[in-house]
Amino acid sequence: MVTPAPLTAGGRMPERYRSIIDVHVILERGTEILLLERQGTGYCDGMLHLPSGHLEEGEPVTVGAAREAREEVGIRIDPEDLRPATVVHHRQRPDLARVGLFFATDRWGGEPYNAEPHKCGKLLWCDPVVLPSNTIDYPAAGIRAYLAGTSITINGW
C-alpha cells in the first residue's frame, strides 16, 4: 500500500521540489577549452566560468545551450552538434541546488568574442586538465567529470 504525501496545514498537497536547470558549453579547440572571466555581475567576479546560463521556460536543453553560447561569446552552434558531456547536481548554498547539464562541441560558426562586456572581462583558451586556480568550483567539477568520462557528479553537498 502506498502512503499518500502529507498535506500542508491548509489541506493542500505540498509543492513539488524544483531546481534551477543550468546549461554549460565546453567549447573545444584542439587541446584547449574556452573560459570567460566574470565581471560586474556580483557573483564570483574575477573568476572563470564556461559559457552558460539558465534554461528558459519551454526551451529544449540543447537549444538553450546554443543560445547561451551565442549570447555570451557570439558564436552559432547547431544544437545537434552539442554532445552530452556530464551532469552536475550542485549545491550552491544550503537553500539552493542546481542541475547543470554540460555539453561539449568542437563545431561552431564564427570566432568567439566577448559579446557581453558588461558581464565578462575577457575570454581565455585554457588547458582543461590544468584549470586556472580562479575557475569557479561548479564548472570545474563539470569539466573534471567530462574529462574523466563520468556521466553524473555531485558537487557541494
Side-chain angles (χ1 to χ4, degrees), residues 24 33-38 43-51 90 102 124-144 155:
H24 306 257
I33 64 170
L34 186 66
L35 296 175
L36 292 68
E37 182 185 62
R38 296 182 62 85
Y43 172 73
C44 293
D45 290 336
M47 297 186 76
L48 302 175
H49 205 299
L50 293 164
H90 174 69
F102 287 70
L124 299 163
W125 288 100
C126 302
D127 180 347
V129 175
V130 185
L131 290 171
S133 61
N134 62 331
T135 304
I136 298 170
D137 185 54
Y138 176 24
I143 294 164
R144 286 190 303 269
N155 186 62

PDB file of all heavy atoms in Angstrom, residues 24 33-38 43-51 90 102 124-144 155:
ATOM      1  N   HIS A  24      25.631  24.435 -19.761  1.00  0.00           N
ATOM      2  CA  HIS A  24      27.028  24.853 -19.881  1.00  0.00           C
ATOM      3  C   HIS A  24      27.575  24.312 -21.199  1.00  0.00           C
ATOM      4  O   HIS A  24      27.253  23.194 -21.587  1.00  0.00           O
ATOM      5  CB  HIS A  24      27.873  24.265 -18.749  1.00  0.00           C
ATOM      6  CG  HIS A  24      27.349  24.567 -17.381  1.00  0.00           C
ATOM      7  ND1 HIS A  24      27.898  25.525 -16.573  1.00  0.00           N
ATOM      8  CD2 HIS A  24      26.336  24.021 -16.680  1.00  0.00           C
ATOM      9  CE1 HIS A  24      27.242  25.565 -15.430  1.00  0.00           C
ATOM     10  NE2 HIS A  24      26.287  24.655 -15.472  1.00  0.00           N
ATOM     11  N   ILE A  33      39.984  24.580 -23.966  1.00  0.00           N
ATOM     12  CA  ILE A  33      38.576  24.937 -23.866  1.00  0.00           C
ATOM     13  C   ILE A  33      38.480  26.427 -23.558  1.00  0.00           C
ATOM     14  O   ILE A  33      39.431  27.031 -23.055  1.00  0.00           O
ATOM     15  CB  ILE A  33      37.830  24.109 -22.794  1.00  0.00           C
ATOM     16  CG1 ILE A  33      38.394  24.390 -21.391  1.00  0.00           C
ATOM     17  CG2 ILE A  33      37.858  22.628 -23.144  1.00  0.00           C
ATOM     18  CD1 ILE A  33      37.560  23.807 -20.262  1.00  0.00           C
ATOM     19  N   LEU A  34      37.324  27.007 -23.846  1.00  0.00           N
ATOM     20  CA  LEU A  34      37.127  28.436 -23.633  1.00  0.00           C
ATOM     21  C   LEU A  34      36.497  28.707 -22.270  1.00  0.00           C
ATOM     22  O   LEU A  34      35.483  28.107 -21.915  1.00  0.00           O
ATOM     23  CB  LEU A  34      36.215  29.006 -24.730  1.00  0.00           C
ATOM     24  CG  LEU A  34      36.040  30.520 -24.713  1.00  0.00           C
ATOM     25  CD1 LEU A  34      37.361  31.223 -25.025  1.00  0.00           C
ATOM     26  CD2 LEU A  34      34.963  30.940 -25.691  1.00  0.00           C
ATOM     27  N   LEU A  35      37.117  29.621 -21.517  1.00  0.00           N
ATOM     28  CA  LEU A  35      36.577  30.088 -20.246  1.00  0.00           C
ATOM     29  C   LEU A  35      36.378  31.592 -20.323  1.00  0.00           C
ATOM     30  O   LEU A  35      37.097  32.294 -21.045  1.00  0.00           O
ATOM     31  CB  LEU A  35      37.515  29.739 -19.093  1.00  0.00           C
ATOM     32  CG  LEU A  35      37.731  28.245 -18.827  1.00  0.00           C
ATOM     33  CD1 LEU A  35      38.770  28.046 -17.735  1.00  0.00           C
ATOM     34  CD2 LEU A  35      36.429  27.556 -18.462  1.00  0.00           C
ATOM     35  N   LEU A  36      35.408  32.086 -19.570  1.00  0.00           N
ATOM     36  CA  LEU A  36      35.088  33.509 -19.522  1.00  0.00           C
ATOM     37  C   LEU A  36      35.358  34.030 -18.119  1.00  0.00           C
ATOM     38  O   LEU A  36      35.022  33.364 -17.134  1.00  0.00           O
ATOM     39  CB  LEU A  36      33.600  33.732 -19.830  1.00  0.00           C
ATOM     40  CG  LEU A  36      33.073  33.454 -21.218  1.00  0.00           C
ATOM     41  CD1 LEU A  36      33.106  31.979 -21.539  1.00  0.00           C
ATOM     42  CD2 LEU A  36      31.666  33.966 -21.338  1.00  0.00           C
ATOM     43  N   GLU A  37      35.922  35.228 -18.029  1.00  0.00           N
ATOM     44  CA  GLU A  37      36.148  35.842 -16.723  1.00  0.00           C
ATOM     45  C   GLU A  37      34.939  36.695 -16.360  1.00  0.00           C
ATOM     46  O   GLU A  37      34.615  37.650 -17.070  1.00  0.00           O
ATOM     47  CB  GLU A  37      37.396  36.718 -16.747  1.00  0.00           C
ATOM     48  CG  GLU A  37      37.691  37.346 -15.393  1.00  0.00           C
ATOM     49  CD  GLU A  37      38.860  38.298 -15.466  1.00  0.00           C
ATOM     50  OE1 GLU A  37      38.759  39.304 -16.207  1.00  0.00           O
ATOM     51  OE2 GLU A  37      39.858  38.041 -14.787  1.00  0.00           O
ATOM     52  N   ARG A  38      34.273  36.338 -15.257  1.00  0.00           N
ATOM     53  CA  ARG A  38      33.085  37.083 -14.821  1.00  0.00           C
ATOM     54  C   ARG A  38      33.491  38.474 -14.346  1.00  0.00           C
ATOM     55  O   ARG A  38      34.534  38.645 -13.727  1.00  0.00           O
ATOM     56  CB  ARG A  38      32.377  36.323 -13.708  1.00  0.00           C
ATOM     57  CG  ARG A  38      31.828  34.978 -14.189  1.00  0.00           C
ATOM     58  CD  ARG A  38      31.090  34.278 -13.084  1.00  0.00           C
ATOM     59  NE  ARG A  38      29.948  35.034 -12.633  1.00  0.00           N
ATOM     60  CZ  ARG A  38      28.740  34.997 -13.189  1.00  0.00           C
ATOM     61  NH1 ARG A  38      28.515  34.237 -14.212  1.00  0.00           N
ATOM     62  NH2 ARG A  38      27.755  35.730 -12.697  1.00  0.00           N
ATOM     63  N   TYR A  43      28.449  38.031  -8.701  1.00  0.00           N
ATOM     64  CA  TYR A  43      28.653  36.630  -8.354  1.00  0.00           C
ATOM     65  C   TYR A  43      29.976  36.160  -8.933  1.00  0.00           C
ATOM     66  O   TYR A  43      30.154  36.105 -10.148  1.00  0.00           O
ATOM     67  CB  TYR A  43      27.509  35.747  -8.895  1.00  0.00           C
ATOM     68  CG  TYR A  43      27.772  34.264  -8.725  1.00  0.00           C
ATOM     69  CD1 TYR A  43      27.703  33.668  -7.473  1.00  0.00           C
ATOM     70  CD2 TYR A  43      28.130  33.479  -9.810  1.00  0.00           C
ATOM     71  CE1 TYR A  43      27.969  32.311  -7.311  1.00  0.00           C
ATOM     72  CE2 TYR A  43      28.391  32.121  -9.668  1.00  0.00           C
ATOM     73  CZ  TYR A  43      28.314  31.547  -8.418  1.00  0.00           C
ATOM     74  OH  TYR A  43      28.581  30.215  -8.264  1.00  0.00           O
ATOM     75  N   CYS A  44      30.903  35.859  -8.083  1.00  0.00           N
ATOM     76  CA  CYS A  44      32.219  35.311  -8.477  1.00  0.00           C
ATOM     77  C   CYS A  44      32.955  36.183  -9.502  1.00  0.00           C
ATOM     78  O   CYS A  44      33.647  35.655 -10.387  1.00  0.00           O
ATOM     79  CB  CYS A  44      32.074  33.883  -8.989  1.00  0.00           C
ATOM     80  SG  CYS A  44      31.581  32.709  -7.720  1.00  0.00           S
ATOM     81  N   ASP A  45      32.812  37.481  -9.402  1.00  0.00           N
ATOM     82  CA  ASP A  45      33.536  38.365 -10.326  1.00  0.00           C
ATOM     83  C   ASP A  45      35.035  38.133 -10.195  1.00  0.00           C
ATOM     84  O   ASP A  45      35.554  37.903  -9.104  1.00  0.00           O
ATOM     85  CB  ASP A  45      33.196  39.827 -10.038  1.00  0.00           C
ATOM     86  CG  ASP A  45      31.772  40.183 -10.432  1.00  0.00           C
ATOM     87  OD1 ASP A  45      31.210  39.503 -11.310  1.00  0.00           O
ATOM     88  OD2 ASP A  45      31.227  41.154  -9.870  1.00  0.00           O
ATOM     89  N   GLY A  46      35.723  38.130 -11.336  1.00  0.00           N
ATOM     90  CA  GLY A  46      37.150  37.865 -11.384  1.00  0.00           C
ATOM     91  C   GLY A  46      37.473  36.383 -11.508  1.00  0.00           C
ATOM     92  O   GLY A  46      38.633  36.018 -11.640  1.00  0.00           O
ATOM     93  N   MET A  47      36.453  35.549 -11.467  1.00  0.00           N
ATOM     94  CA  MET A  47      36.660  34.106 -11.582  1.00  0.00           C
ATOM     95  C   MET A  47      36.215  33.623 -12.964  1.00  0.00           C
ATOM     96  O   MET A  47      35.512  34.328 -13.682  1.00  0.00           O
ATOM     97  CB  MET A  47      35.931  33.375 -10.467  1.00  0.00           C
ATOM     98  CG  MET A  47      36.468  33.752  -9.082  1.00  0.00           C
ATOM     99  SD  MET A  47      35.745  32.780  -7.768  1.00  0.00           S
ATOM    100  CE  MET A  47      36.630  31.238  -8.002  1.00  0.00           C
ATOM    101  N   LEU A  48      36.631  32.410 -13.299  1.00  0.00           N
ATOM    102  CA  LEU A  48      36.393  31.871 -14.640  1.00  0.00           C
ATOM    103  C   LEU A  48      35.237  30.872 -14.659  1.00  0.00           C
ATOM    104  O   LEU A  48      35.052  30.106 -13.719  1.00  0.00           O
ATOM    105  CB  LEU A  48      37.660  31.188 -15.155  1.00  0.00           C
ATOM    106  CG  LEU A  48      38.899  32.068 -15.218  1.00  0.00           C
ATOM    107  CD1 LEU A  48      40.117  31.241 -15.618  1.00  0.00           C
ATOM    108  CD2 LEU A  48      38.701  33.231 -16.170  1.00  0.00           C
ATOM    109  N   HIS A  49      34.501  30.892 -15.762  1.00  0.00           N
ATOM    110  CA  HIS A  49      33.332  30.040 -15.944  1.00  0.00           C
ATOM    111  C   HIS A  49      33.236  29.668 -17.419  1.00  0.00           C
ATOM    112  O   HIS A  49      33.850  30.321 -18.265  1.00  0.00           O
ATOM    113  CB  HIS A  49      32.078  30.824 -15.530  1.00  0.00           C
ATOM    114  CG  HIS A  49      30.929  29.967 -15.105  1.00  0.00           C
ATOM    115  ND1 HIS A  49      30.321  29.058 -15.926  1.00  0.00           N
ATOM    116  CD2 HIS A  49      30.247  29.917 -13.934  1.00  0.00           C
ATOM    117  CE1 HIS A  49      29.327  28.468 -15.284  1.00  0.00           C
ATOM    118  NE2 HIS A  49      29.273  28.980 -14.056  1.00  0.00           N
ATOM    119  N   LEU A  50      32.471  28.651 -17.726  1.00  0.00           N
ATOM    120  CA  LEU A  50      32.166  28.296 -19.107  1.00  0.00           C
ATOM    121  C   LEU A  50      31.045  29.192 -19.637  1.00  0.00           C
ATOM    122  O   LEU A  50      30.292  29.769 -18.842  1.00  0.00           O
ATOM    123  CB  LEU A  50      31.667  26.841 -19.167  1.00  0.00           C
ATOM    124  CG  LEU A  50      32.672  25.759 -18.833  1.00  0.00           C
ATOM    125  CD1 LEU A  50      31.953  24.443 -18.546  1.00  0.00           C
ATOM    126  CD2 LEU A  50      33.657  25.593 -19.982  1.00  0.00           C
ATOM    127  N   PRO A  51      30.876  29.283 -20.952  1.00  0.00           N
ATOM    128  CA  PRO A  51      29.652  29.902 -21.463  1.00  0.00           C
ATOM    129  C   PRO A  51      28.468  29.098 -20.914  1.00  0.00           C
ATOM    130  O   PRO A  51      28.434  27.871 -21.048  1.00  0.00           O
ATOM    131  CB  PRO A  51      29.768  29.746 -22.980  1.00  0.00           C
ATOM    132  CG  PRO A  51      31.234  29.584 -23.240  1.00  0.00           C
ATOM    133  CD  PRO A  51      31.773  28.855 -22.033  1.00  0.00           C
ATOM    134  N   HIS A  90      24.594  20.366  -8.268  1.00  0.00           N
ATOM    135  CA  HIS A  90      25.421  21.299  -7.490  1.00  0.00           C
ATOM    136  C   HIS A  90      24.588  21.959  -6.398  1.00  0.00           C
ATOM    137  O   HIS A  90      23.506  22.480  -6.654  1.00  0.00           O
ATOM    138  CB  HIS A  90      25.982  22.366  -8.433  1.00  0.00           C
ATOM    139  CG  HIS A  90      26.712  23.456  -7.747  1.00  0.00           C
ATOM    140  ND1 HIS A  90      27.924  23.268  -7.120  1.00  0.00           N
ATOM    141  CD2 HIS A  90      26.415  24.771  -7.595  1.00  0.00           C
ATOM    142  CE1 HIS A  90      28.342  24.418  -6.612  1.00  0.00           C
ATOM    143  NE2 HIS A  90      27.434  25.344  -6.880  1.00  0.00           N
ATOM    144  N   PHE A 102      25.961  19.739 -18.932  1.00  0.00           N
ATOM    145  CA  PHE A 102      27.163  20.171 -19.633  1.00  0.00           C
ATOM    146  C   PHE A 102      27.189  19.516 -21.013  1.00  0.00           C
ATOM    147  O   PHE A 102      26.980  18.306 -21.131  1.00  0.00           O
ATOM    148  CB  PHE A 102      28.412  19.779 -18.846  1.00  0.00           C
ATOM    149  CG  PHE A 102      28.637  20.612 -17.614  1.00  0.00           C
ATOM    150  CD1 PHE A 102      27.798  20.492 -16.514  1.00  0.00           C
ATOM    151  CD2 PHE A 102      29.691  21.514 -17.542  1.00  0.00           C
ATOM    152  CE1 PHE A 102      28.001  21.250 -15.372  1.00  0.00           C
ATOM    153  CE2 PHE A 102      29.905  22.284 -16.405  1.00  0.00           C
ATOM    154  CZ  PHE A 102      29.049  22.149 -15.316  1.00  0.00           C
ATOM    155  N   LEU A 124      39.402  33.329 -22.293  1.00  0.00           N
ATOM    156  CA  LEU A 124      40.692  32.651 -22.193  1.00  0.00           C
ATOM    157  C   LEU A 124      40.571  31.223 -22.717  1.00  0.00           C
ATOM    158  O   LEU A 124      39.662  30.490 -22.311  1.00  0.00           O
ATOM    159  CB  LEU A 124      41.142  32.566 -20.725  1.00  0.00           C
ATOM    160  CG  LEU A 124      41.347  33.866 -19.981  1.00  0.00           C
ATOM    161  CD1 LEU A 124      41.365  33.613 -18.497  1.00  0.00           C
ATOM    162  CD2 LEU A 124      42.641  34.485 -20.428  1.00  0.00           C
ATOM    163  N   TRP A 125      41.474  30.837 -23.604  1.00  0.00           N
ATOM    164  CA  TRP A 125      41.575  29.434 -24.012  1.00  0.00           C
ATOM    165  C   TRP A 125      42.524  28.772 -23.023  1.00  0.00           C
ATOM    166  O   TRP A 125      43.649  29.241 -22.829  1.00  0.00           O
ATOM    167  CB  TRP A 125      42.088  29.328 -25.442  1.00  0.00           C
ATOM    168  CG  TRP A 125      41.062  29.767 -26.446  1.00  0.00           C
ATOM    169  CD1 TRP A 125      40.990  30.974 -27.068  1.00  0.00           C
ATOM    170  CD2 TRP A 125      39.951  29.005 -26.918  1.00  0.00           C
ATOM    171  NE1 TRP A 125      39.909  31.013 -27.905  1.00  0.00           N
ATOM    172  CE2 TRP A 125      39.251  29.812 -27.840  1.00  0.00           C
ATOM    173  CE3 TRP A 125      39.476  27.720 -26.662  1.00  0.00           C
ATOM    174  CZ2 TRP A 125      38.107  29.368 -28.493  1.00  0.00           C
ATOM    175  CZ3 TRP A 125      38.335  27.283 -27.313  1.00  0.00           C
ATOM    176  CH2 TRP A 125      37.664  28.099 -28.219  1.00  0.00           C
ATOM    177  N   CYS A 126      42.063  27.702 -22.376  1.00  0.00           N
ATOM    178  CA  CYS A 126      42.820  27.077 -21.289  1.00  0.00           C
ATOM    179  C   CYS A 126      42.918  25.567 -21.473  1.00  0.00           C
ATOM    180  O   CYS A 126      42.057  24.945 -22.098  1.00  0.00           O
ATOM    181  CB  CYS A 126      42.124  27.340 -19.956  1.00  0.00           C
ATOM    182  SG  CYS A 126      41.924  29.083 -19.569  1.00  0.00           S
ATOM    183  N   ASP A 127      43.921  24.998 -20.859  1.00  0.00           N
ATOM    184  CA  ASP A 127      44.080  23.553 -20.798  1.00  0.00           C
ATOM    185  C   ASP A 127      43.086  23.032 -19.757  1.00  0.00           C
ATOM    186  O   ASP A 127      43.180  23.389 -18.579  1.00  0.00           O
ATOM    187  CB  ASP A 127      45.516  23.214 -20.375  1.00  0.00           C
ATOM    188  CG  ASP A 127      45.794  21.726 -20.267  1.00  0.00           C
ATOM    189  OD1 ASP A 127      44.837  20.916 -20.275  1.00  0.00           O
ATOM    190  OD2 ASP A 127      46.975  21.373 -20.166  1.00  0.00           O
ATOM    191  N   PRO A 128      42.125  22.188 -20.145  1.00  0.00           N
ATOM    192  CA  PRO A 128      41.135  21.715 -19.173  1.00  0.00           C
ATOM    193  C   PRO A 128      41.708  20.767 -18.128  1.00  0.00           C
ATOM    194  O   PRO A 128      41.108  20.592 -17.065  1.00  0.00           O
ATOM    195  CB  PRO A 128      40.103  20.994 -20.055  1.00  0.00           C
ATOM    196  CG  PRO A 128      40.873  20.559 -21.254  1.00  0.00           C
ATOM    197  CD  PRO A 128      41.911  21.634 -21.478  1.00  0.00           C
ATOM    198  N   VAL A 129      42.855  20.197 -18.402  1.00  0.00           N
ATOM    199  CA  VAL A 129      43.473  19.279 -17.443  1.00  0.00           C
ATOM    200  C   VAL A 129      44.082  20.063 -16.282  1.00  0.00           C
ATOM    201  O   VAL A 129      44.091  19.598 -15.138  1.00  0.00           O
ATOM    202  CB  VAL A 129      44.541  18.403 -18.141  1.00  0.00           C
ATOM    203  CG1 VAL A 129      45.275  17.521 -17.146  1.00  0.00           C
ATOM    204  CG2 VAL A 129      43.888  17.559 -19.236  1.00  0.00           C
ATOM    205  N   VAL A 130      44.581  21.253 -16.562  1.00  0.00           N
ATOM    206  CA  VAL A 130      45.190  22.103 -15.537  1.00  0.00           C
ATOM    207  C   VAL A 130      44.435  23.441 -15.559  1.00  0.00           C
ATOM    208  O   VAL A 130      44.908  24.429 -16.104  1.00  0.00           O
ATOM    209  CB  VAL A 130      46.700  22.327 -15.815  1.00  0.00           C
ATOM    210  CG1 VAL A 130      47.339  23.105 -14.675  1.00  0.00           C
ATOM    211  CG2 VAL A 130      47.412  21.011 -16.043  1.00  0.00           C
ATOM    212  N   LEU A 131      43.246  23.435 -14.953  1.00  0.00           N
ATOM    213  CA  LEU A 131      42.421  24.646 -14.953  1.00  0.00           C
ATOM    214  C   LEU A 131      43.068  25.733 -14.106  1.00  0.00           C
ATOM    215  O   LEU A 131      43.693  25.443 -13.083  1.00  0.00           O
ATOM    216  CB  LEU A 131      41.036  24.332 -14.396  1.00  0.00           C
ATOM    217  CG  LEU A 131      40.138  23.471 -15.275  1.00  0.00           C
ATOM    218  CD1 LEU A 131      38.878  23.063 -14.508  1.00  0.00           C
ATOM    219  CD2 LEU A 131      39.779  24.191 -16.560  1.00  0.00           C
ATOM    220  N   PRO A 132      42.897  26.997 -14.509  1.00  0.00           N
ATOM    221  CA  PRO A 132      43.405  28.088 -13.681  1.00  0.00           C
ATOM    222  C   PRO A 132      42.796  28.024 -12.274  1.00  0.00           C
ATOM    223  O   PRO A 132      41.651  27.583 -12.099  1.00  0.00           O
ATOM    224  CB  PRO A 132      42.939  29.346 -14.427  1.00  0.00           C
ATOM    225  CG  PRO A 132      42.786  28.893 -15.852  1.00  0.00           C
ATOM    226  CD  PRO A 132      42.294  27.485 -15.760  1.00  0.00           C
ATOM    227  N   SER A 133      43.553  28.455 -11.288  1.00  0.00           N
ATOM    228  CA  SER A 133      43.114  28.358  -9.892  1.00  0.00           C
ATOM    229  C   SER A 133      41.871  29.189  -9.607  1.00  0.00           C
ATOM    230  O   SER A 133      41.167  28.928  -8.633  1.00  0.00           O
ATOM    231  CB  SER A 133      44.243  28.770  -8.947  1.00  0.00           C
ATOM    232  OG  SER A 133      44.609  30.115  -9.189  1.00  0.00           O
ATOM    233  N   ASN A 134      41.573  30.176 -10.449  1.00  0.00           N
ATOM    234  CA  ASN A 134      40.397  31.014 -10.219  1.00  0.00           C
ATOM    235  C   ASN A 134      39.177  30.544 -11.016  1.00  0.00           C
ATOM    236  O   ASN A 134      38.246  31.311 -11.266  1.00  0.00           O
ATOM    237  CB  ASN A 134      40.698  32.481 -10.505  1.00  0.00           C
ATOM    238  CG  ASN A 134      41.081  32.747 -11.947  1.00  0.00           C
ATOM    239  OD1 ASN A 134      41.637  31.887 -12.637  1.00  0.00           O
ATOM    240  ND2 ASN A 134      40.789  33.957 -12.416  1.00  0.00           N
ATOM    241  N   THR A 135      39.152  29.261 -11.387  1.00  0.00           N
ATOM    242  CA  THR A 135      37.968  28.691 -12.031  1.00  0.00           C
ATOM    243  C   THR A 135      36.936  28.382 -10.953  1.00  0.00           C
ATOM    244  O   THR A 135      37.259  27.781  -9.923  1.00  0.00           O
ATOM    245  CB  THR A 135      38.327  27.396 -12.794  1.00  0.00           C
ATOM    246  OG1 THR A 135      39.373  27.685 -13.727  1.00  0.00           O
ATOM    247  CG2 THR A 135      37.116  26.851 -13.544  1.00  0.00           C
ATOM    248  N   ILE A 136      35.705  28.797 -11.164  1.00  0.00           N
ATOM    249  CA  ILE A 136      34.622  28.545 -10.208  1.00  0.00           C
ATOM    250  C   ILE A 136      34.461  27.036 -10.036  1.00  0.00           C
ATOM    251  O   ILE A 136      34.514  26.278 -11.006  1.00  0.00           O
ATOM    252  CB  ILE A 136      33.308  29.195 -10.696  1.00  0.00           C
ATOM    253  CG1 ILE A 136      33.484  30.724 -10.793  1.00  0.00           C
ATOM    254  CG2 ILE A 136      32.147  28.855  -9.765  1.00  0.00           C
ATOM    255  CD1 ILE A 136      32.333  31.442 -11.487  1.00  0.00           C
ATOM    256  N   ASP A 137      34.234  26.598  -8.817  1.00  0.00           N
ATOM    257  CA  ASP A 137      34.175  25.172  -8.499  1.00  0.00           C
ATOM    258  C   ASP A 137      33.096  24.420  -9.284  1.00  0.00           C
ATOM    259  O   ASP A 137      33.319  23.292  -9.718  1.00  0.00           O
ATOM    260  CB  ASP A 137      33.965  24.988  -6.993  1.00  0.00           C
ATOM    261  CG  ASP A 137      34.023  23.529  -6.595  1.00  0.00           C
ATOM    262  OD1 ASP A 137      35.019  22.854  -6.921  1.00  0.00           O
ATOM    263  OD2 ASP A 137      33.052  23.062  -5.963  1.00  0.00           O
ATOM    264  N   TYR A 138      31.929  25.018  -9.458  1.00  0.00           N
ATOM    265  CA  TYR A 138      30.818  24.351 -10.142  1.00  0.00           C
ATOM    266  C   TYR A 138      31.188  23.955 -11.574  1.00  0.00           C
ATOM    267  O   TYR A 138      31.116  22.768 -11.922  1.00  0.00           O
ATOM    268  CB  TYR A 138      29.610  25.278 -10.065  1.00  0.00           C
ATOM    269  CG  TYR A 138      28.337  24.885 -10.768  1.00  0.00           C
ATOM    270  CD1 TYR A 138      28.008  23.576 -11.080  1.00  0.00           C
ATOM    271  CD2 TYR A 138      27.409  25.877 -11.084  1.00  0.00           C
ATOM    272  CE1 TYR A 138      26.805  23.256 -11.699  1.00  0.00           C
ATOM    273  CE2 TYR A 138      26.207  25.576 -11.693  1.00  0.00           C
ATOM    274  CZ  TYR A 138      25.912  24.261 -12.015  1.00  0.00           C
ATOM    275  OH  TYR A 138      24.718  23.957 -12.628  1.00  0.00           O
ATOM    276  N   PRO A 139      31.622  24.883 -12.444  1.00  0.00           N
ATOM    277  CA  PRO A 139      32.020  24.443 -13.785  1.00  0.00           C
ATOM    278  C   PRO A 139      33.272  23.576 -13.761  1.00  0.00           C
ATOM    279  O   PRO A 139      33.406  22.664 -14.585  1.00  0.00           O
ATOM    280  CB  PRO A 139      32.234  25.740 -14.556  1.00  0.00           C
ATOM    281  CG  PRO A 139      32.470  26.772 -13.518  1.00  0.00           C
ATOM    282  CD  PRO A 139      31.674  26.344 -12.326  1.00  0.00           C
ATOM    283  N   ALA A 140      34.177  23.813 -12.823  1.00  0.00           N
ATOM    284  CA  ALA A 140      35.380  22.976 -12.727  1.00  0.00           C
ATOM    285  C   ALA A 140      34.989  21.525 -12.452  1.00  0.00           C
ATOM    286  O   ALA A 140      35.567  20.599 -13.025  1.00  0.00           O
ATOM    287  CB  ALA A 140      36.319  23.497 -11.641  1.00  0.00           C
ATOM    288  N   ALA A 141      33.984  21.312 -11.601  1.00  0.00           N
ATOM    289  CA  ALA A 141      33.510  19.952 -11.317  1.00  0.00           C
ATOM    290  C   ALA A 141      32.963  19.310 -12.588  1.00  0.00           C
ATOM    291  O   ALA A 141      33.203  18.125 -12.850  1.00  0.00           O
ATOM    292  CB  ALA A 141      32.440  19.978 -10.227  1.00  0.00           C
ATOM    293  N   GLY A 142      32.243  20.079 -13.394  1.00  0.00           N
ATOM    294  CA  GLY A 142      31.716  19.562 -14.652  1.00  0.00           C
ATOM    295  C   GLY A 142      32.813  19.236 -15.649  1.00  0.00           C
ATOM    296  O   GLY A 142      32.768  18.208 -16.327  1.00  0.00           O
ATOM    297  N   ILE A 143      33.813  20.082 -15.732  1.00  0.00           N
ATOM    298  CA  ILE A 143      34.933  19.853 -16.651  1.00  0.00           C
ATOM    299  C   ILE A 143      35.707  18.608 -16.226  1.00  0.00           C
ATOM    300  O   ILE A 143      36.039  17.760 -17.055  1.00  0.00           O
ATOM    301  CB  ILE A 143      35.846  21.097 -16.723  1.00  0.00           C
ATOM    302  CG1 ILE A 143      35.083  22.268 -17.358  1.00  0.00           C
ATOM    303  CG2 ILE A 143      37.129  20.791 -17.491  1.00  0.00           C
ATOM    304  CD1 ILE A 143      35.721  23.637 -17.142  1.00  0.00           C
ATOM    305  N   ARG A 144      35.980  18.477 -14.928  1.00  0.00           N
ATOM    306  CA  ARG A 144      36.694  17.295 -14.430  1.00  0.00           C
ATOM    307  C   ARG A 144      35.900  16.017 -14.707  1.00  0.00           C
ATOM    308  O   ARG A 144      36.452  15.001 -15.127  1.00  0.00           O
ATOM    309  CB  ARG A 144      36.981  17.424 -12.935  1.00  0.00           C
ATOM    310  CG  ARG A 144      38.085  18.411 -12.597  1.00  0.00           C
ATOM    311  CD  ARG A 144      38.495  18.324 -11.132  1.00  0.00           C
ATOM    312  NE  ARG A 144      37.398  18.535 -10.212  1.00  0.00           N
ATOM    313  CZ  ARG A 144      37.037  19.719  -9.712  1.00  0.00           C
ATOM    314  NH1 ARG A 144      37.708  20.814 -10.057  1.00  0.00           N
ATOM    315  NH2 ARG A 144      36.025  19.820  -8.875  1.00  0.00           N
ATOM    316  N   ASN A 155      28.200  17.801  -6.437  1.00  0.00           N
ATOM    317  CA  ASN A 155      29.174  18.812  -6.033  1.00  0.00           C
ATOM    318  C   ASN A 155      28.553  19.730  -4.979  1.00  0.00           C
ATOM    319  O   ASN A 155      27.467  20.260  -5.162  1.00  0.00           O
ATOM    320  CB  ASN A 155      29.599  19.636  -7.259  1.00  0.00           C
ATOM    321  CG  ASN A 155      30.706  20.599  -6.950  1.00  0.00           C
ATOM    322  OD1 ASN A 155      31.786  20.202  -6.569  1.00  0.00           O
ATOM    323  ND2 ASN A 155      30.420  21.879  -7.116  1.00  0.00           N
TER     324      ASN A 155
END
